[in-house]
Amino acid sequence: MLGLGADRLRADMNRLLALLFHQGVLDEQFLQLQQLQDETSPNFVCEVVNIYFHESEKLLRNLRGLLMERDFSDYKKMGIHLNQFMGSSSSIGAKRVRNVCVAFRAASEQNNRAGCLRALELLENEYCYLKNKLHELFQIEQQRVLAAGARYPMQN
Amino acid sequence: MSSNNTENWMKDIGVLDHPSGVGEGSTTSAATNITALVVDDDSVNQMIHSKILENLGIQNQVVRNGKEAVDLHSSGNNFDLILMDMDMPVMNGIEATRKLRAMGVRSIIAGVSTCTRDEREQKEFMEAGLDDFQEKPLTTPKVVSILQKVNKKC
């Protein structure tokens, strides 16, 4: 029964991943990330993604802070933040977040403040969705590991 | 990627340190004699690029910007391969590459950058002294293709 639990959880993970790929939330780069994980770094994907979350939230705060300034005009600074967000998003396979960053950068290059504000809202939504889904994925993975461990208990 | 695939790649490009004749204590089946430096201000990319290199058996260090890369070389360090990000604070990849070449650094320097529509900037990066340019995201196959240049150059 415990074995079935681990297998069912693995199926749940695969289903969720397939959904995220189908929705374009993740792309092939996420698989590349998973392939880097090995016995020397068994939590590599989770660690990288948590760093990504931490850095992304800083960038989102910076972007919102810039756009909320009354006399905002530093589109160059905004471009720097966006380039960084684009780079890290593409590195973990966060395809939709990256694509919104591209649109955001286009608005920024046109000094289009209203466009930037709309893009920021969209970016915050996309990021929120991605974060929730990846947390869900990692939770299922954690449960699967526990279930698999219970199936094969350590021998004394 | 299985370790067997990694070993086959490394053997194909002739950079695998064959374990025969090595005494006891050799722990990795895919150790190489290549060293690398990751130059990137982004923590996510630092971790991923370093792991790609580590999985290929390449000893590597990480610095956060071009100035740290230059300072590392000024204090006598050298590397076979440098993965150089373009956009970094303090000193960007273009300036750092120029400085390293002016210092006589002959490492393979591969520029790594997010897709840029500014072809002039990419051209300037190449002309600063790059041997190769790869668009992010960096992957193991992309790094292997860069390493083939290391092998030819050595």
Side-chain angles (χ1 to χ4, degrees):
Chain A
M1 289 302 292
L2 290 168
L4 282 174
D7 290 341
R8 190 168 36 238
L9 286 164
R10 184 182 285 284
D12 287 345
M13 269 182 68
N14 289 340
R15 237 190 322 270
L16 177 55
L17 265 176
L19 174 68
L20 294 174
F21 276 99
H22 179 71
Q23 290 176 333
V25 173
L26 293 177
D27 65 19
E28 205 265 346
Q29 182 63 16
F30 189 78
L31 297 178
Q32 293 279 334
L33 206 65
Q34 287 183 316
Q35 288 183 349
L36 290 176
Q37 185 160 294
D38 57 17
E39 53 279 355
T40 66
S41 310
N43 301 313
F44 177 74
V45 177
C46 190
E47 285 168 10
V48 169
V49 169
N50 280 330
I51 292 173
Y52 170 75
F53 288 156
H54 179 74
E55 295 298 310
S56 298
E57 279 155 36
K58 259 197 300 188
L59 288 168
L60 283 168
R61 278 196 299 273
N62 290 344
L63 288 166
R64 187 157 276 283
L66 281 173
L67 278 168
M68 291 299 112
E69 283 174 14
R70 195 163 55 171
D71 301 319
F72 165 69
S73 61
D74 200 346
Y75 287 97
K76 187 178 173 194
K77 197 170 191 177
M78 180 167 289
I80 291 170
H81 291 323
L82 285 169
N83 277 346
Q84 190 172 347
F85 209 159
M86 271 175 61
S88 55
S89 298
S90 71
S91 291
I92 69 150
K95 185 174 164 189
R96 271 195 348 210
V97 168
R98 184 199 176 273
N99 288 347
V100 176
C101 286
V102 171
F104 196 153
R105 189 173 68 175
S108 168
E109 284 166 357
Q110 291 162 12
N111 291 5
N112 178 351
R113 189 170 178 174
C116 286
L117 273 164
R118 279 195 299 273
L120 176 62
E121 276 177 29
L122 188 53
L123 185 58
E124 285 167 340
N125 286 342
E126 285 295 340
Y127 170 76
C128 204
Y129 184 75
L130 171 75
K131 185 174 178 182
N132 286 341
K133 288 301 167 191
L134 287 179
H135 269 151
E136 196 180 323
L137 193 71
F138 293 143
Q139 266 169 7
I140 300 172
E141 165 68 1
Q142 213 171 22
Q143 286 163 10
R144 186 195 66 80
V145 167
L146 285 170
R151 183 183 181 186
Y152 298 109
M154 293 283 285
Q155 298 292 328
N156 288 329
Chain B
M1 168 177 308
S2 70
S3 61
N4 277 342
N5 282 343
T6 305
E7 279 186 51
N8 288 340
W9 276 358
M10 301 309 288
K11 282 174 186 169
D12 282 348
I13 64 174
V15 296
L16 181 59
D17 210 6
H18 289 276
S20 58
V22 174
E24 286 178 18
S26 172
T27 54
T28 171
S29 60
T32 73
N33 49 8
I34 294 179
T35 59
L37 178 67
V38 173
V39 189
D40 202 309
D41 61 319
D42 182 76
S43 308
V44 169
N45 291 327
Q46 285 175 3
M47 203 168 161
I48 293 174
H49 297 177
S50 180
K51 185 65 175 156
I52 290 174
L53 292 166
E54 185 190 304
N55 283 10
L56 289 170
I58 296 169
Q59 197 184 346
N60 65 92
Q61 286 183 46
V62 176
V63 292
R64 292 173 300 179
N65 57 60
K67 184 176 185 306
E68 289 186 10
V70 168
D71 290 346
L72 206 55
H73 283 83
S74 296
S75 53
N77 295 280
N78 61 68
F79 306 88
D80 298 299
L81 168 67
I82 301 172
L83 297 178
M84 181 77 77
D85 185 25
M86 184 157 72
D87 297 309
M88 293 178 288
V90 186
M91 187 187 292
N92 67 25
I94 297 173
E95 198 185 337
T97 303
R98 264 196 215 115
K99 277 204 152 65
L100 288 171
R101 291 305 190 206
M103 287 163 63
V105 169
R106 295 185 62 210
S107 315
I108 292 282
I109 304 180
V112 184
S113 185
T114 315
C115 170
T116 171
R117 290 163 302 171
D118 191 340
E119 287 181 3
R120 192 181 48 186
E121 204 174 37
Q122 192 175 327
K123 187 167 179 274
E124 192 186 354
F125 201 6
M126 286 300 302
E127 286 172 355
L130 295 182
D131 295 290
D132 196 7
F133 179 88
Q134 295 286 346
E135 247 177 53
K136 283 178 184 172
L138 209 58
T139 61
T140 302
K142 285 183 184 178
V143 173
V144 169
S145 80
I146 297 168
L147 287 171
Q148 286 168 336
K149 294 190 186 209
V150 174
N151 188 40
K152 284 181 188 149
K153 201 172 179 180
C154 290

